[in-house]
């Protein structure tokens, strides 16, 4: 009896600490990467304690939700098998350990009663953390511009120091594309939960303005495209009557597109991309892969896929083979930087072959297949579609930034509130 009481006490206390540490992880997710790793470690440790305290109960719930847990675990196992078969050092799996640790060790916390009752706080806390970081970054850029301009024009200073104020110059805490994904997702969270959370208009509008400014300062082409799609979709949704539709389609949407284009064309990296794209398209002997880095990376990856379409080159060899292929085509800069394919679909295929592509697609498709069985099917759909789009331009699952963001939201959306009855799928 005493043993059961102790187990119950451990289960309750470890669950509460695990939930608090998980909330801290969400809050720090947009801060310097190392900051969020400390509460994440405590969260996983609490999950281990919960497994020990009530293994049978947790195992039974895990078996009922195996179809959500299996895809990321399978994706990791393919990494592990590749390393073992190539007799490579296991430390190259360090970044990928999250694919198995978060869904398995973290599982007891995600299904704990304390988290089920407060799961929405993880979304609110994430938004708060990202907003604080956004304000800090904008304030930093404003101060730099004022001090740098001195007695001169701030606009002239911004124009002459474009690279230091936009993109990597702005997003000093993480890669601009990764942050643009978080910002766009946060905008959608605010739009979806405004009424439920009873957000006051002043907070709602000011938050959207700050996040919109951040999107353009990040200068991520993928991020700007998604942002424009979101804004245009909201305009169309609001235009319910005939008169509103006419104004929206003929005036508001074209004006928004024009203003957005007017802003981004003055950003050096985007202006350069547009300029050279036009030149290559007009040229009779134009070769798009030669002027844009991502085109060169994708082209190189595709050539390697043709060489080993079924098995891939393995995790231990893929970087070396990519460098060799870059040099073969004269892509010196890419070879020097040892860059990956910058496309997760190509990355999975060229590294692990068909098994890699299947396991990657499982992570993206299974939540959509079972979306009606979770609490927020619409949010899950939006999340998966948005991540799937960004995976076209970044190998996000090669870095802790991308892996942690995806898995944490994947798990809270799949496991955080509403449970699936496995009999429903038989």
């Amino acid at each position: 009896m005493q043993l059961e009481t102790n187990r119950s006490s451990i289960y309750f206390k470890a669950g509460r600490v695990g939930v608090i540490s998980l909330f801290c992880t969400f809050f720090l997710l947009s801060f310097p990467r190392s900051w969020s790793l400390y509460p994440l470690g405590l969260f996983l440790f609490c999950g281990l304690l919960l497994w020990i305290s009530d293994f049978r109960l947790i195992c039974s719930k895990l078996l009922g939700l195996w179809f959500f847990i299996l895809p990321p675990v399978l994706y990791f196992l393919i990494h592990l098998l590749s390393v073992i078969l190539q007799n490579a050092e296991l430390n190259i799996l360090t970044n990928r350990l999250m694919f198995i640790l978060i869904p398995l060790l973290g599982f007891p916390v995600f299904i704990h009663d304390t988290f089920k009752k407060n799961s929405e706080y993880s979304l609110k806390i994430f938004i708060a953390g990202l907003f604080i970081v956004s304000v800090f970054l904008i304030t930093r850029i404003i101060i730099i511009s004022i001090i740098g301009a001195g007695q001169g024009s701030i606009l002239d200073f911004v124009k002459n120091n474009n690279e230091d104020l936009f993109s990597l110059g702005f997003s000093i805490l993480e890669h601009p594309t990764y942050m643009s994904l978080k910002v766009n997702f946060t905008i959608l969270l605010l739009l979806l939960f405004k009424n439920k959370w009873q957000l006051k208009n002043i907070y709602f509008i000011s938050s959207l303005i700050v996040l919109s400014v951040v999107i353009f300062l990040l200068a991520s082409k993928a991020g700007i495209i998604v942002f424009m799609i979101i804004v245009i979709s909201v305009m169309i949704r609001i235009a319910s009557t005939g008169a509103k539709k006419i104004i929206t389609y003929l005036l508001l949407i074209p004006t928004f597109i024009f203003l957005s284009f007017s802003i981004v064309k003055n950003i050096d990296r985007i202006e350069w991309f547009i300029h050279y794209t036009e030149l290559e398209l007009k040229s009779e002997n134009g070769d798009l892969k030669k002027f844009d880095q991502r085109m060169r990376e994708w082209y190189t990856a595709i050539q390697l896929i043709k060489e080993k379409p079924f098995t891939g080159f393995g995790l231990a060899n893929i970087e070396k083979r990519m460098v060799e292929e870059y040099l073969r085509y004269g892509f010196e800069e890419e070879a020097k930087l040892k860059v990956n394919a910058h496309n997760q679909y190509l990355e999975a295929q060229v590294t692990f072959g068909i098994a890699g592509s299947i396991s990657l697609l499982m992570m993206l498709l299974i939540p959509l297949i079972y979306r009606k069985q979770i609490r927020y099917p619409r949010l899950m759909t939006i999340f998966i579609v948005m991540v799937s789009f960004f995976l076209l331009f970044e190998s996000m699952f090669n870095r802790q930034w991308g892996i942690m963001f995806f898995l944490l939201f994947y798990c809270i959306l799949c496991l955080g509130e509403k449970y699936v009855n496995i009999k429903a799928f038989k």
Side-chain angles (χ1 to χ4, degrees):
M1 184 70 178
Q2 182 65 33
L3 180 62
E4 290 298 323
T5 302
N6 291 338
R7 285 181 177 177
S8 177
S9 177
I10 292 173
Y11 187 86
F12 177 74
K13 291 179 180 179
R16 291 195 65 179
V17 175
V19 171
I20 293 172
S21 59
L22 179 59
F23 287 161
C24 290
T25 303
F26 272 101
F27 179 75
L28 296 174
L29 207 55
S30 301
F31 287 76
R33 180 179 55 177
S34 60
W35 294 15
S36 60
L37 294 180
Y38 296 105
L40 179 70
L42 179 58
F43 155 71
L44 295 175
F45 177 71
C46 291
L48 177 61
L49 291 180
L50 290 171
W51 270 108
I52 295 173
S53 65
D54 205 335
F55 178 82
R56 184 176 298 178
L57 173 65
I58 294 172
C59 191
S60 65
K61 291 185 176 182
L62 179 66
L63 292 176
L65 293 164
W66 64 269
F67 39 84
F68 287 134
I69 302 299
L70 177 63
V73 172
L74 178 61
Y75 193 65
F76 172 79
L77 292 178
I78 290 173
H79 284 67
L80 178 61
L81 181 62
S82 173
V83 171
I84 293 174
L85 291 177
Q86 292 183 318
N87 196 27
E89 296 290 335
L90 289 176
N91 59 12
I92 66 176
L93 288 173
T94 302
N95 288 344
R96 275 78 166 189
L97 279 172
M98 287 189 182
F99 280 112
I100 194 168
L101 293 179
I102 291 178
L104 285 184
L105 277 187
F107 179 79
V109 179
F110 289 121
I111 65 168
H112 198 275
D113 288 341
T114 304
F115 184 72
K116 286 194 295 180
K117 295 175 183 178
N118 303 282
S119 59
E120 274 187 21
Y121 281 108
S122 57
L123 303 178
K124 296 178 181 179
I125 290 171
F126 167 73
I127 292 172
L130 179 65
F131 184 79
I132 291 172
V133 169
S134 298
V135 172
F136 163 73
L137 293 176
I138 292 175
T139 304
R140 172 181 169 271
I141 291 299
I142 292 174
I143 294 173
I144 290 175
S145 300
I146 293 174
I147 295 175
Q151 300 299 320
S153 170
I154 294 178
L155 291 177
D156 289 338
F157 176 82
V158 171
K159 185 177 181 180
N160 296 328
N161 296 272
N162 212 287
E163 293 185 1
D164 297 327
L165 302 176
F166 291 85
S167 190
L168 291 171
F170 173 76
S171 184
I172 59 174
L173 302 181
E174 64 178 317
H175 193 282
T177 303
Y178 289 65
M179 187 174 182
S180 67
L181 168 59
K182 292 179 181 178
V183 173
N184 276 308
F185 185 59
T186 299
I187 290 172
L188 285 169
L189 287 175
L190 291 171
L191 292 171
L192 289 173
F193 289 95
K194 178 184 182 295
N195 293 330
K196 184 175 183 180
W197 292 344
Q198 298 181 339
L199 296 175
K200 293 183 179 180
N201 287 334
I202 183 66
Y203 300 129
F204 176 71
I205 295 173
S206 60
S207 297
L208 290 183
I209 291 173
V210 169
L211 296 175
S212 299
V213 170
V214 169
I215 283 293
F216 287 101
L217 288 172
L218 287 169
S220 165
K221 294 185 286 291
I224 292 172
I225 291 171
V226 171
F227 174 75
M228 292 179 68
I229 292 173
I230 292 172
V231 174
I232 292 173
S233 299
V234 171
M235 288 181 177
I236 293 174
R237 187 176 180 84
I238 293 175
S240 55
T241 63
K244 287 183 178 180
K245 284 184 178 181
I246 294 174
I247 295 173
T248 299
Y249 284 102
L250 298 182
L251 180 61
L252 296 182
I253 293 178
T255 301
F256 169 70
I257 294 174
F258 173 77
L259 291 176
S260 299
F261 183 77
S262 299
I263 294 172
V264 300
K265 74 175 184 179
N266 291 313
I267 301 173
D268 284 352
R269 67 188 305 267
I270 297 180
E271 182 184 19
W272 181 91
F273 175 80
I274 294 172
H275 174 70
Y276 280 92
T277 300
E278 291 176 346
L279 289 179
E280 290 294 333
L281 292 174
K282 292 177 181 178
S283 174
E284 294 182 0
N285 300 316
D287 192 350
L288 293 178
K289 70 175 181 292
K290 291 183 179 180
F291 84 93
D292 183 71
Q293 186 180 40
R294 273 186 173 75
M295 292 291 186
R296 294 191 289 269
E297 293 159 357
W298 297 347
Y299 176 81
T300 302
I302 290 171
Q303 303 315 304
L304 288 177
I305 289 172
K306 292 178 181 178
E307 189 175 329
K308 281 192 175 183
F310 298 106
T311 61
F313 290 90
L315 191 60
N317 292 335
I318 185 58
E319 184 180 278
K320 178 183 177 182
R321 286 295 293 117
M322 285 289 286
V323 170
E324 292 173 351
E325 202 72 3
Y326 286 140
L327 293 174
R328 177 185 171 189
Y329 294 108
F331 303 153
E332 301 289 342
E333 186 67 19
E334 288 74 17
K336 180 181 178 181
L337 297 175
K338 297 181 180 180
V339 292
N340 57 43
H342 276 76
N343 179 305
Q344 195 64 56
Y345 307 103
L346 294 178
E347 190 78 34
Q349 180 65 37
V350 74
T351 307
F352 307 110
I354 294 176
S357 294
I358 291 176
S359 58
L360 173 62
L361 291 175
M362 284 178 64
M363 281 197 295
L364 301 175
L365 293 178
I366 283 182
L368 297 182
I369 294 172
Y370 294 138
R371 66 187 182 278
K372 292 183 179 180
Q373 307 303 319
I374 60 179
R375 187 181 183 191
Y376 299 115
R378 187 180 177 192
L379 179 58
M380 173 57 84
T381 302
I382 290 172
F383 174 70
I384 293 296
V385 170
M386 184 177 293
V387 170
S388 299
F389 177 76
F390 275 87
L391 291 181
L392 290 169
F393 306 97
E394 289 289 341
S395 298
M396 294 181 60
F397 295 163
N398 287 16
R399 294 187 178 185
Q400 283 185 337
W401 279 321
I403 297 171
M404 190 189 304
F405 172 80
F406 173 77
L407 285 178
L408 287 174
F409 279 103
Y410 175 94
C411 288
I412 68 167
L413 292 177
C414 289
L415 311 174
E417 184 68 26
K418 190 173 181 179
Y419 295 109
V420 182
N421 182 358
I422 191 64
K423 295 180 181 179
F425 299 99
K426 291 183 178 178

